[in-house]
Amino acid sequence: MKTSLAALGMMMAGLAAASPRTPARDAEVLAELPQGLRHAEPSRALAADRIDVAVPLARAYVARARATGDLRFLGYAEAALEPWMRSSAPPPAVLVLHAGILQSRHAFEASLAELDRALAARPEDAQAWLTRATVLRVLGRYEAALASCRHLEGNAEPGVARLCEQGILGLTGHLREAYLAILQIPAEALGAEVAAWRCSELGEMAERLGDDTAAEGHFRSGLALAPRDFYTRLAYADLLLRHGRAAETLTLLEDYQTMEPMLLRIALAHRQLRDAAGGRAEALLAGAFEVEERRGDAVHRREEARFLLDVRNDSRGALQAAAANWQVQREPDDALILARAARAAGQPDAAKPMQDFLRMNGFQDARLPAPGDAS
Amino acid sequence: MKARDPGLVALMLLAAGMLLAGGSARAHTASNGFLTVHVDGAEIRGSVELAVRDVELAIGVDADGDGKVTWGELRAAQARLDRYVGDHLTLAARGRDCPLTLEPMRVNDRVDGSYAWLPFTARCAVEPAALTIRYGLMQGIDPSHRGLLALEAGGKTQTGVLAPDSSPLELSLTAPSAWRAATEYFRAGVWHIWSGIDHLLFLLSLLLPAVLIRRGGRWEPVPHARPALNNIVKVVTAFTVAHSITLTLAALDVVRLPTRLTESVIAASIIVAALNNIFPWVTESRARIAFAFGLLHGFGFASVLADMGLPRDARLVSLVSFNLGIEAGQLAVVMMVMPLVYGLRSAALYRRTLMPWGSAAIAALAFVWLVQRALLPVG
């Protein structure tokens, strides 16, 4: 209630900014279309008729959304699947892809429901089990996530099942053992992408163990294997920022100025450098969060909390966003921002449910302030 | 977005050839359309905006196929765009369409790129009491597209979100949002005075002796209701006028005081008012105490209002409603307690025990608050 009124005021302020113009020259370029993106009608018609067009098309769109951070591609993927989703028994491949889209939108429960439908029809679908494990892990339902990982044994690329399992054990009281176990998985036997995943998992575990030097090494090897790995790049940027290495952060993210999570790190790096160049990133982020709020999306609430805390110095707003985010997702970064926001707002109690959850699971993270630690 | 989806890791290679395409440095957001509607009697003015990129997807405007949409290409497609918008956006009142007339488009630059901005007018057969908006832009192309609506009617702005696949949105124009804001803030005012017991204790401390007269160093009951009523009205009015002044000043951001200071002084004000009943030094003009400290209580109310925020389009209504809520809540308590106190005024129990010891208890409680608020760390 309180926030919605405040948000309404902000929205109005943002809306007033529009000032339409008539370009002077016909040749002025208004938009550069992403490669291959054209009038949607022909491909839509084809995808509605043929599943062997719809599924690869949707898959390519999803991959593109992941690689570029361009959320519109998720919508295009959804549109390609839509005619097939309307059937009473959608093909499992369609369900699994659609569940992945829902996951990206943080509609986790709906995603799980579709994965269960897919698995009922195709019990050995490795991709469905892996997506399911990922969703459950984000939700903090570790027992169920582990069970999903076990279904990958003998079903997926070698190493994937162990990586999946050890990743969860690392969150539930076995951090050092899990780290060592993943180190034991021979990287040579893995495909490039799974190898990059292994590196980012190792890097994050090393950070939680308090060994940032080792973490940096893992992130660097991960990026060498898969330079476009969005996730590893973000994690590495956060590590650099924690050490005040702002200039290196900017170099790392130079080519990624279109994604909100990346923009946030760029803005933070400029803050650390105390230069004015971050103003553009800050304005873009503020505009993007404002529109998301209007839409009722909350996909970037974690980033928004960090933006409010570290850019806007609004610890109460940050705490509200971080607490709402914790209701939706429970990854280490979600715990970290909630802990920091609660401390900054002088409301340590707000972080207590989170701390209880982490304690119950035996979670360990060297970056987390100890409960009751004064700032 | 950060959550890694290992299931899709392998798919990234598929997209490798397409990476970093369209290298313009814009923030990527989900697809949004912007719809503004201004209702003036039966006449409607407004604009609809679609991202140029979305226009390409919907109707195909990149005539030369070079992957760039120019102003010339967009303008050449005006007739087709008009038809597309006409087919996918309708405004209706009382079940009858208000036909849209689209005017020459312009361009609006937003954080995520350029938008085609189409002004329109529409005429309804009757002055609408409610407007039904059917929005199907980008339907079938991008189900995550949303139309963000700002509707202005009778000086009030309402907002809404339109999804291409959802049912039509009906917005009532005669019951403006100011009414909703008014009831909401009124309720908040009542609730605040009832839940935040400190304001009431201050007022009651000043009112407990209202049924008595100080004569020769002793309390005596007032002979009849009139002087008691007089006392009550004076104290309540003084308190109300004072806190209304500062509440307004603070809510409109004219004056600001640190919360810790106002909260501490509010606690102190209760101690002063309560002790005055035990060791009376102000007996005739308690209304002055009510006024002086009432100014501080107003800042206390304002901090609650600051937490809620004032809606931009209904600031004054909300502020007044909140204040009226406070007065109503306070009056309700006064009207419940004072007849009882009046009935008890002649009893020695009231004058010698209830009033002094009750006041002492109030003072003690307020002292605890004072220590908490002034000395203990925040939070």
Side-chain angles (χ1 to χ4, degrees):
Chain A
M1 172 61 252
K2 289 177 182 178
T3 41
S4 67
L5 284 172
L8 193 70
M10 276 168 55
M11 264 153 44
M12 301 292 184
L15 279 180
S19 58
R21 64 187 173 92
T22 304
R25 296 177 308 116
D26 270 358
E28 181 179 329
V29 173
L30 298 176
E32 291 191 26
L33 303 167
Q35 197 184 321
L37 197 72
R38 287 293 174 278
H39 183 26
E41 206 49 52
S43 60
R44 260 176 71 197
L46 207 57
D49 276 352
R50 292 179 45 184
I51 190 144
D52 59 332
V53 172
V55 167
L57 187 65
R59 195 171 282 158
Y61 280 144
V62 169
R64 215 154 150 194
R66 299 244 149 207
T68 62
D70 188 339
L71 299 177
R72 276 177 162 97
F73 281 105
L74 290 178
Y76 307 154
E78 209 177 351
L81 299 176
E82 208 173 36
W84 301 96
M85 283 300 292
R86 272 201 292 270
S87 120
S88 57
V94 169
L95 282 169
V96 174
L97 266 169
H98 199 259
I101 296 169
L102 291 174
Q103 184 222 332
S104 304
R105 297 230 171 89
H106 293 194
F108 297 125
E109 296 299 337
S111 174
L112 287 176
E114 289 189 357
L115 289 169
D116 287 346
R117 273 176 88 189
L119 286 166
R122 210 159 69 189
E124 298 308 315
D125 191 315
Q127 176 138 337
W129 284 118
L130 190 50
T131 308
R132 194 169 184 275
T134 310
V135 173
L136 290 166
R137 171 176 163 164
V138 172
L139 289 171
R141 278 146 58 182
Y142 299 124
E143 282 298 320
L146 267 180
S148 285
C149 292
R150 293 200 181 105
H151 280 277
L152 292 167
E153 278 159 25
N155 229 335
E157 204 184 324
V160 168
R162 271 172 79 196
L163 206 45
C164 182
E165 281 175 47
Q166 295 299 333
I168 289 157
L169 292 174
L171 294 167
T172 51
H174 309 279
L175 180 54
R176 183 162 294 281
E177 299 91 311
Y179 178 69
L180 295 174
I182 293 181
L183 274 179
Q184 296 294 311
I185 302 176
E188 312 78 55
L190 306 175
E193 302 76 27
V194 180
W197 171 21
R198 173 181 171 274
C199 289
S200 74
E201 191 75 71
L202 283 173
E204 289 194 305
M205 286 181 162
E207 276 189 292
R208 297 209 297 275
L209 285 165
D211 186 350
D212 284 350
T213 314
E216 183 168 4
H218 293 306
F219 289 142
R220 282 175 164 280
S221 350
L223 286 175
L225 286 162
R228 297 280 163 220
D229 191 310
F230 182 75
Y231 189 90
T232 305
R233 198 166 287 268
L234 276 183
Y236 187 25
D238 280 340
L239 183 142
L240 292 174
L241 283 170
R242 252 186 323 107
H243 288 272
R245 291 159 64 182
E248 288 168 81
T249 309
L250 289 177
T251 312
L252 184 72
L253 304 183
E254 206 163 18
D255 293 333
Y256 297 84
Q257 311 207 359
T258 53
M259 309 182 204
E260 269 169 79
M262 300 285 195
L263 267 177
L264 173 70
R265 275 74 178 182
I266 291 172
L268 293 176
H270 283 297
R271 285 246 143 189
Q272 282 189 4
L273 293 170
R274 293 177 199 286
D275 66 23
R280 183 187 153 276
E282 289 177 17
L284 286 176
L285 281 167
F289 290 137
E290 184 189 313
V291 167
E292 273 181 23
E293 181 92 42
R294 281 205 68 185
R295 287 174 58 100
D297 289 352
V299 174
H300 291 122
R301 206 165 255 158
R302 176 199 293 163
E303 278 76 21
E304 191 179 2
R306 232 173 123 182
F307 177 74
L308 290 171
L309 184 65
D310 294 333
V311 177
R312 291 279 189 256
N313 295 320
D314 173 6
S315 57
R316 285 175 67 180
L319 176 56
Q320 229 163 38
N325 176 58
W326 181 255
Q327 293 306 314
V328 180
Q329 48 176 354
R330 304 189 157 190
E331 291 189 274
D333 278 0
D334 303 306
L336 197 58
I337 183 63
L338 179 54
R340 289 185 51 226
R343 201 164 60 153
Q347 296 184 39
D349 282 357
K352 228 185 141 297
M354 176 267 287
Q355 282 155 353
D356 291 344
F357 172 85
L358 296 184
R359 197 174 312 118
M360 193 183 79
N361 285 295
F363 179 81
Q364 179 189 344
D365 193 334
R367 300 167 304 170
L368 270 179
D373 195 9
S375 54
Chain B
M1 191 68 198
K2 193 184 166 191
R4 173 184 279 279
D5 186 347
L8 293 162
V9 164
L11 301 172
M12 284 199 176
L13 278 191
L14 242 182
M18 315 185 214
L19 288 170
L20 287 185
S24 65
R26 302 283 199 180
H28 284 316
T29 57
S31 169
N32 298 303
F34 294 86
L35 178 65
T36 61
V37 177
H38 182 102
V39 184
D40 186 8
E43 302 283 340
I44 295 174
R45 283 182 295 110
S47 62
V48 56
E49 273 178 72
L50 273 184
V52 171
R53 170 176 164 183
D54 287 341
V55 173
E56 162 65 25
L57 277 173
I59 61 168
V61 291
D62 181 19
D64 61 5
D66 67 348
K68 292 175 182 150
V69 176
T70 62
W71 170 234
E73 286 171 330
L74 184 63
R75 215 158 45 111
Q78 167 109 39
R80 284 191 296 131
L81 185 54
D82 286 0
R83 213 173 315 124
Y84 180 74
V85 170
D87 288 347
H88 292 87
L89 173 68
T90 53
L91 305 177
R94 296 199 196 162
R96 290 169 64 186
D97 279 7
C98 313
L100 291 186
T101 310
L102 290 153
E103 287 161 12
M105 78 171 107
R106 284 188 254 166
V107 169
N108 193 25
D109 299 306
R110 289 183 174 271
V111 281
D112 61 331
S114 294
Y115 280 65
W117 186 84
L118 290 109
F120 63 78
T121 56
R123 204 182 158 75
C124 305
V126 288
E127 184 175 334
L131 197 65
T132 306
I133 301 176
R134 198 183 310 268
Y135 186 97
L137 296 168
M138 303 307 286
Q139 191 163 30
I141 301 167
D142 184 349
S144 64
H145 175 85
R146 294 290 177 271
L148 304 182
L149 165 76
L151 174 94
E152 212 185 311
K156 308 287 181 297
T157 303
Q158 304 181 51
T159 59
V161 182
L162 302 147
D165 293 315
S166 64
S167 47
L169 186 69
E170 186 169 320
L171 292 139
S172 171
L173 307 180
T174 46
S177 57
W179 173 248
R180 267 203 318 242
T183 49
E184 201 170 275
Y185 279 83
F186 182 86
R187 226 177 285 144
V190 174
W191 178 246
H192 177 63
I193 195 85
W194 285 352
S195 59
I197 189 171
D198 43 4
H199 308 296
L200 282 178
L201 283 183
F202 171 68
L203 192 61
L204 287 180
S205 303
L206 289 175
L207 290 178
L208 286 179
V211 295
L212 307 173
I213 306 178
R214 191 82 183 163
R215 268 202 201 117
R218 289 180 47 197
W219 289 112
E220 285 180 27
V222 291
H224 46 92
R226 180 172 282 253
L229 210 58
N230 239 334
N231 285 337
I232 295 171
V233 168
K234 273 198 267 180
V235 166
V236 172
T237 308
F239 184 62
T240 302
V241 169
H243 73 227
S244 301
I245 294 172
T246 43
L247 169 59
T248 308
L249 290 180
L252 300 178
D253 250 349
V254 182
V255 188
R256 235 187 239 170
L257 288 182
T259 315
R260 185 189 279 251
L261 175 69
T262 55
E263 292 300 315
S264 307
V265 178
I266 286 171
S269 74
I270 303 170
I271 301 177
V272 171
L275 288 183
N276 189 42
N277 295 340
I278 310 172
F279 314 105
W281 69 95
V282 182
T283 53
E284 290 314 312
S285 48
R286 281 185 301 273
R288 287 188 197 167
I289 302 185
F291 187 86
F293 284 117
L295 292 173
L296 261 301
H297 284 253
F299 284 108
F301 297 138
S303 67
V304 177
L305 206 53
D307 281 349
M308 288 182 71
L310 282 177
R312 212 172 112 102
D313 51 345
R315 264 166 86 105
L316 210 62
V317 176
S318 310
L319 173 58
V320 171
S321 308
F322 182 75
N323 204 352
L324 285 177
I326 288 177
E327 312 317 346
Q330 154 190 313
L331 218 57
V333 173
V334 169
M335 279 161 63
M336 270 190 312
V337 175
M338 291 321 287
L340 196 72
V341 173
Y342 182 70
L344 282 172
R345 73 190 190 284
S346 304
L349 174 76
Y350 178 71
R351 280 173 288 152
R352 304 225 181 96
T353 313
L354 276 183
M355 195 184 75
W357 287 107
S359 297
I362 292 176
L365 180 60
F367 183 74
V368 174
W369 285 337
L370 177 61
V371 170
Q372 279 176 348
R373 292 173 184 183
L375 302 179
L376 297 187
V378 183

